[in-house]
Amino acid sequence: MAQTGFGGRSGGAGGPAPRPARTRMQQIVYWGSVLAVWGLIFAVVFLAVFARGLPDTSSLYNVERQPSITYLDRNGALIATRGTQMAPPADLDALPDYVPAAFIAIEDRRFWWHPGFDPIGMSRAMMTNLRAGRVVQGGSTLTQQLAKNLFLTPDQNLRRKAQELILAVWLELKFSKKEILALYLNRVYFGAGAYGIEAASQRYFDKSAKELTVGEAALLAGLLKAPSRYSPVSESDRAAGRATVVLDQMVETGVITPEQRAQAVLEPVRVSRTLASQHAQYFIDWLDKQIRGMVGEPTEDLVVETTLDLTLQTAAERSVNRILTRDKSRGVEQAALVAMDGDGRVRAMIGGASYADSQFNRAVDARRQAGSAFKPFVYLAATEAGYTPETPVIDQPVQIGNWSPRNYSGTFAGPMTLSQAVAQSTNTVAAYVADQIGRDSVARAARRLGITSRVGTEPAMALGAVEVSPLDMATAYDAFANGGRRVEAAGIERIRTPRGRIIYQRGGAAPTSQAINNPPLYYMNQMLRGVVAGGTARSAAVSGYDLAGKTGTTSDYKDAWFVGYTGGFVAAVWVGKDDNTAMRGVTGGGAPAAIWKGFMEAALPRLSVQTIPNGPPMPEGWTPPQPVAADPVGDLLGQLDDPYGGAPSRPVDPDQGRPYQAAPAQAAPAAARPATTPPARPRDPVQRVDPGLQPEKKPDALFF
């Protein structure tokens, strides 16, 4: 009997023949065939699952875009373009070699060799992301990015990524590498409304793409990672850092030499002046809402000729930035500025510290308490009721119902004239005068000049317990600057198509009405000149110019204002915090006055400066009073709006050179003493109720 051992072969004649071992080549062929079959199965399933719903690639050369709106300043300079900005495609052969090479160096080094996707790059990105625990690196090629830009949505999911791969391979099969690169450079988005490298070059540098320098090419290539994050307009430091990374990659890949890199770093990249004014975007936002109200949703490209003056806008930005930096340690975080001419045309607008950080327009949409900047409406109503700058008043304790206003100094200066009370921003006098003439009269005066916010009629309204916007304040004060005319704020002169068809024309000076007559206008300008000449705003004075205005500071230093003007030009400035918390001793005569002065020092030489106009004719037989003296009233009577936020100086007697003795209430003559209950005032037989005159919440502290 034959025996077989474990693993042995049967020795019987009928046993199966042994299989010969495969050679190495046979193994390679076998397993290659297996992998090919499974690969084919995977490809069929992959295409069946993900190719369904692919976009129509026949739209490759179709460009669908929203109509653009181009904004020009009053001199025709470009401010901004909203919507899609396109330009003729750039010829790849006409570009310097380093321009396309910069994009390849930073975005896709193996562009010339991969089949549309880069397995090495994808693996590297996957490992990097796994180590980081989040997505920190992408593995998309230029071809994949082009496929996404041309055909797909920006959704981040597996299906879209798979479709991106399919379309990238299709593009590689249909076009040459050079054609793909040209398509990419002419269709990718560079931010600021610019699609394609030619539009981006014109948008950021005011030049053709064929004139780009090495540094400019690096900056544009760096933008693509995140156009808003690396914008040279709003994020210049971050954009410069990203451009440096691109330059390093260009050296590493041999696109440029280390010497060329060093030269590119030394040569400054200058962003177009039309984009340098980032804060003008607040102004454009304000106009955008108006335009859609005038013409509806645009169906064609539009050109909007605005009232803005880019030179003045730049001066405003510089002044705001300088003071925000200077006073940051004192809690000054935000600022707003509105400047307009005598017809209400807005020449400059700052809506906040940084448009990139916050698009909320504090110049238009914020409502903050005005403090003593509201007092001119009190004194306007008073002069219309018969007061003059020389009317004697007394700074002493006042009780109105359950409310008793206090002065910033904590003391009372005793007898003074109305003009001194205005210059010194004396709270007790303003509250008493408003109570005597009627706070409803004050509210009507404010609304007549252009205050659109709700105006309360509680006693504290006389000290500025009214929430207003800088735009409202500039509009209202414009009546003092232009001869007493009420104006409407305007930012648009004309809307037209690029071919010149007029859609809207503002025309000449907007229709106005006489809001202030004489002599009240004359009196107000005299008293508000005194505020700048020697009162709380003396730090805002600019030598050689006829200036007037009023400071304002609210309780606990939450808001500080200065609104000032010359003949035919006014500017309102506010500083504070968005969370409505207190600054550290910042008053209207400090940061706001400094911003205003810095702006006006640059603006006044550019303006057709005139003296503040007298307005309509005076009544027959009227005799002008003595002009308000330019003595340093703030130093003589107690500094209420200290520019530096220090302790108020003690009042000094101008004649004797020694401190005043505060006049106690009982020492005042009976005839001059404010009554606890105001005397009855004559009323119209028919009581008229202004819907805007509604009580507001009483403030919890003083205003000055």
Side-chain angles (χ1 to χ4, degrees):
M1 177 181 293
Q3 295 181 352
T4 55
F6 180 77
R9 292 179 297 173
S10 172
R19 292 183 179 181
R22 294 190 181 95
T23 65
R24 181 174 296 276
M25 180 57 68
Q26 288 174 326
Q27 289 179 340
I28 292 173
V29 171
Y30 173 79
W31 288 111
S33 300
V34 170
L35 290 174
V37 170
W38 279 108
L40 180 61
I41 293 172
F42 175 80
V44 170
V45 173
F46 183 86
L47 290 173
V49 173
F50 294 109
R52 184 184 307 165
L54 278 175
D56 181 8
T57 56
S58 64
S59 63
L60 176 64
Y61 294 103
N62 297 337
V63 180
E64 293 185 6
R65 67 183 185 92
Q66 294 295 319
S68 67
I69 304 178
T70 300
Y71 296 88
L72 307 179
D73 90 332
R74 65 190 301 260
N75 299 307
L78 177 65
I79 303 172
T81 298
R82 294 285 177 90
T84 305
Q85 182 181 3
M86 304 292 291
D91 182 0
L92 201 62
D93 293 330
L95 299 177
D97 291 341
Y98 53 75
V99 173
F103 292 85
I104 292 174
I106 193 65
E107 292 290 331
D108 188 3
R109 285 191 182 187
R110 283 177 287 277
F111 170 74
W112 298 107
W113 299 283
H114 62 63
F117 61 94
D118 182 5
I120 297 175
M122 294 171 69
S123 300
R124 182 188 65 248
M126 187 180 299
M127 294 303 298
T128 301
N129 295 335
L130 285 174
R131 283 195 296 268
R134 58 189 178 90
V135 177
V136 296
Q137 189 178 102
S140 295
T141 64
L142 287 182
T143 315
Q144 287 175 268
Q145 294 178 42
L146 177 63
K148 179 179 66 176
N149 290 334
L150 291 178
F151 305 118
L152 300 173
T153 66
D155 298 337
Q156 294 290 340
N157 55 57
L158 179 61
R159 181 179 184 82
R160 191 205 54 81
K161 196 67 178 177
Q163 291 181 333
E164 180 183 291
L165 286 171
I166 295 171
L167 289 169
V169 173
W170 176 81
L171 286 169
E172 292 279 349
L173 294 173
K174 184 174 179 63
F175 300 101
S176 68
K177 287 287 188 180
K178 186 176 179 180
E179 289 172 327
I180 290 173
L181 183 58
L183 274 170
Y184 177 83
L185 291 177
N186 285 312
R187 298 295 288 275
V188 73
Y189 181 58
F190 287 88
Y195 285 83
I197 193 167
E198 183 64 28
S201 181
Q202 294 176 10
R203 191 76 184 88
Y204 289 106
F205 309 120
D206 276 339
K207 61 171 66 173
S208 172
K210 62 185 179 183
E211 299 171 348
L212 288 170
T213 65
V214 172
E216 291 165 346
L219 189 147
L220 290 181
L223 266 177
L224 297 185
K225 183 176 182 180
S228 60
R229 179 176 174 80
Y230 295 104
S231 169
V233 179
S234 57
E235 302 291 343
S236 56
D237 291 341
R238 190 175 286 162
R242 177 67 175 164
T244 301
V245 173
V246 177
L247 289 171
D248 291 340
Q249 295 295 314
M250 292 172 73
V251 172
E252 190 174 327
T253 54
V255 175
I256 58 175
T257 65
E259 292 74 21
Q260 286 176 301
R261 180 200 180 282
Q263 179 62 34
V265 171
L266 292 175
E267 183 179 352
V269 174
R270 302 188 184 280
V271 177
S272 166
R273 175 176 173 271
T274 62
L275 272 178
S277 182
Q278 62 157 312
H279 294 91
Q281 302 305 316
Y282 290 111
F283 175 75
I284 300 305
D285 285 349
W286 177 53
L287 296 189
D288 186 67
K289 300 174 184 177
Q290 300 177 41
I291 291 168
R292 297 179 193 283
M294 293 175 179
V295 303
E297 196 66 30
T299 58
E300 58 183 326
D301 291 349
L302 298 176
V303 177
V304 179
E305 298 174 5
T306 76
T307 63
L308 195 81
D309 187 319
L310 271 179
T311 301
L312 298 186
Q313 177 71 19
T314 301
E317 291 173 10
R318 288 174 179 168
S319 186
V320 166
N321 289 335
R322 181 174 64 85
I323 300 305
L324 286 181
T325 301
R326 187 195 76 176
D327 291 352
K328 182 178 180 180
S329 62
R330 300 181 65 185
V332 179
E333 296 179 357
Q334 289 291 347
L337 180 150
V338 176
M340 62 176 62
D341 67 14
D343 290 322
R345 298 182 181 90
V346 175
R347 299 301 194 201
M349 178 182 285
I350 306 290
S354 171
Y355 185 82
D357 293 338
S358 170
Q359 288 77 55
F360 177 67
N361 191 343
R362 296 156 190 84
V364 176
D365 299 321
R367 295 290 186 272
R368 304 297 289 253
Q369 290 187 328
S372 291
F374 191 81
K375 288 178 182 175
F377 310 125
V378 173
Y379 293 116
L380 172 59
T383 57
E384 291 173 340
Y387 284 68
T388 75
E390 298 304 312
T391 298
V393 291
I394 301 177
D395 176 15
Q396 63 180 2
V398 173
Q399 185 79 25
I400 303 174
N402 296 323
W403 180 68
S404 181
R406 296 181 291 117
N407 290 325
Y408 176 58
S409 64
T411 62
F412 303 97
M416 60 174 60
T417 64
L418 192 69
S419 64
Q420 289 174 320
V422 173
Q424 199 51 46
S425 199
T426 306
N427 283 339
T428 57
V429 173
Y432 174 70
V433 168
D435 189 63
Q436 292 299 295
I437 63 174
R439 288 181 294 276
D440 51 350
S441 298
V442 175
R444 280 193 291 270
R447 294 177 65 81
R448 189 172 74 239
L449 267 60
I451 298 297
T452 59
S453 304
R454 186 178 63 182
V455 180
T457 56
E458 291 192 354
M461 67 89 77
L463 307 187
V466 177
E467 295 183 343
V468 294
S469 71
L471 182 65
D472 268 2
M473 293 296 278
T475 301
Y477 272 67
D478 210 353
F480 298 127
N482 67 18
R485 295 180 291 109
R486 160 72 183 263
V487 301
E488 298 291 338
I492 300 172
E493 290 286 3
R494 184 165 65 163
I495 302 175
R496 59 178 173 84
T497 66
R499 294 176 178 265
R501 181 170 63 87
I502 305 299
I503 298 175
Y504 167 81
Q505 178 76 50
R506 183 171 183 257
T512 59
S513 60
Q514 194 66 33
I516 313 175
N517 290 306
N518 270 319
L521 176 62
Y522 178 88
Y523 293 152
M524 288 304 303
N525 284 332
Q526 285 288 81
M527 291 190 291
L528 294 177
R529 282 185 178 105
V531 176
V532 177
T536 59
R538 59 192 179 279
S539 62
V542 180
S543 179
Y545 293 97
D546 185 17
L547 306 176
K550 186 70 186 74
T551 56
T553 312
T554 61
S555 61
D556 299 327
Y557 304 101
K558 293 178 181 178
D559 302 280
W561 294 78
F562 179 62
V563 189
Y565 59 94
T566 185
F569 194 79
V570 62
V573 179
W574 164 88
V575 303
K577 295 182 179 181
D578 283 340
D579 61 5
N580 204 31
T581 57
M583 298 175 286
R584 286 183 282 281
V586 177
T587 65
I595 290 173
W596 190 91
K597 181 176 182 178
F599 167 62
M600 292 297 282
E601 284 179 332
L604 285 169
R606 181 177 174 82
L607 301 170
S608 299
V609 177
Q610 55 182 310
T611 58
I612 299 171
N614 290 328
M618 295 292 179
E620 186 176 351
W622 176 82
T623 303
Q626 292 295 322
V628 176
D631 295 330
V633 178
D635 292 331
L636 299 178
L637 299 179
Q639 185 172 303
L640 301 190
D641 261 340
D642 177 12
Y644 304 101
S649 58
R650 192 174 178 195
V652 176
D653 186 321
D655 296 323
Q656 304 299 324
R658 61 178 183 270
Y660 267 121
Q661 296 299 316
Q666 62 269 25
R673 188 181 309 143
T676 301
T677 304
R681 298 183 298 273
R683 299 289 186 179
D684 293 334
V686 179
Q687 297 296 319
R688 297 179 176 85
V689 179
D690 188 328
L693 308 182
Q694 302 178 32
E696 290 185 337
K697 183 181 178 181
K698 191 173 184 177
D700 55 5
L702 89 137
F703 291 73
F704 50 91

